[in-house]
Amino acid sequence: MRTLVLNAGYEPLAIVSFKRALVLVMNDKATVIEHVEGEPVWGTRSSYDRPAVIILTRYVRVPSTRRTPVTRRGVLRRDGFRCGYCGASATTIDHVLPRSRGGADSWENLVACCLTCNNVKSDRTPQEMGWSLRFALGAPRGGSWAVRGSERGDPRWEPYLALAA
């Protein structure tokens, strides 16, 4: 079981294990704002709600240069697992400007792609093929991208992740 950790300003910071969240609550460093119904945790002196979302009692400064790393899984997720050229189900990624021509591994140069389009395109650009992209490329934004692991999250987290979008 995992727990969403919010900064004192309600922006999502991280997803931690249930045990780590409980330690933060027991040490008065965080407060439970959403809990799992009917599953308390019994301690030696008292019981605690099993945390689903906690908020820190003190604000933690986060560097503003926090950038989402480029990954294959991230590109597929950003593009909704759909090919950027034909709209079919995507299983691979493609460099819009091929690496053989100096194309970088960046959010602006990678697109989700089906195997057929990837093989047909080969080391050419979409303009040379007469193709166009179905959407604009760029780094993903929003709370669900800022917090690693939130794509497989608890439904109770959604209101807090939507605030950061």
Side-chain angles (χ1 to χ4, degrees):
M1 180 170 258
R2 301 173 313 150
T3 303
L4 175 65
V5 179
L6 303 175
N7 209 343
Y10 280 85
E11 64 264 8
L13 278 182
I15 295 172
V16 298
S17 71
F18 145 74
K19 289 179 182 179
R20 175 69 179 133
L22 199 56
V23 167
L24 288 169
V25 171
M26 292 172 82
N27 289 328
D28 294 324
K29 294 185 180 193
T31 306
V32 177
I33 56 175
E34 294 276 341
H35 63 276
V36 178
E37 291 292 329
E39 295 185 35
V41 178
W42 295 94
T44 56
R45 295 191 178 122
S46 63
S47 68
Y48 297 91
D49 291 329
R50 188 176 296 265
V53 180
I54 62 172
I55 186 166
L56 297 177
T57 54
R58 299 181 76 189
Y59 187 82
V60 175
R61 195 177 81 69
V62 180
S64 61
T65 58
R66 197 166 161 182
R67 196 166 142 80
T68 308
V70 180
T71 61
R72 178 183 177 280
R73 179 186 209 101
V75 171
L76 289 168
R77 192 173 138 225
R78 175 199 66 187
D79 297 347
F81 293 89
R82 292 279 161 212
C83 179
Y85 302 118
C86 71
S89 180
T91 55
T92 64
I93 59 171
D94 180 57
H95 289 80
V96 176
L97 177 63
R99 287 193 334 201
S100 62
R101 298 187 186 186
D105 289 336
S106 67
W107 287 110
E108 295 76 20
N109 192 46
L110 291 171
V111 66
C113 190
C114 67
L115 197 56
T116 304
C117 289
N118 204 347
N119 287 334
V120 169
K121 183 178 167 284
S122 187
D123 66 341
R124 294 174 284 209
T125 65
Q127 292 78 18
E128 292 171 351
M129 297 293 297
W131 294 357
S132 62
L133 288 169
R134 299 171 64 86
F135 42 82
L137 302 179
R141 302 189 197 305
S144 63
W145 289 93
V147 180
R148 192 171 171 201
S150 63
E151 68 273 4
R152 300 177 309 275
D154 191 318
R156 290 177 281 251
W157 299 353
E158 289 179 22
Y160 305 100
L161 294 174
L163 290 173

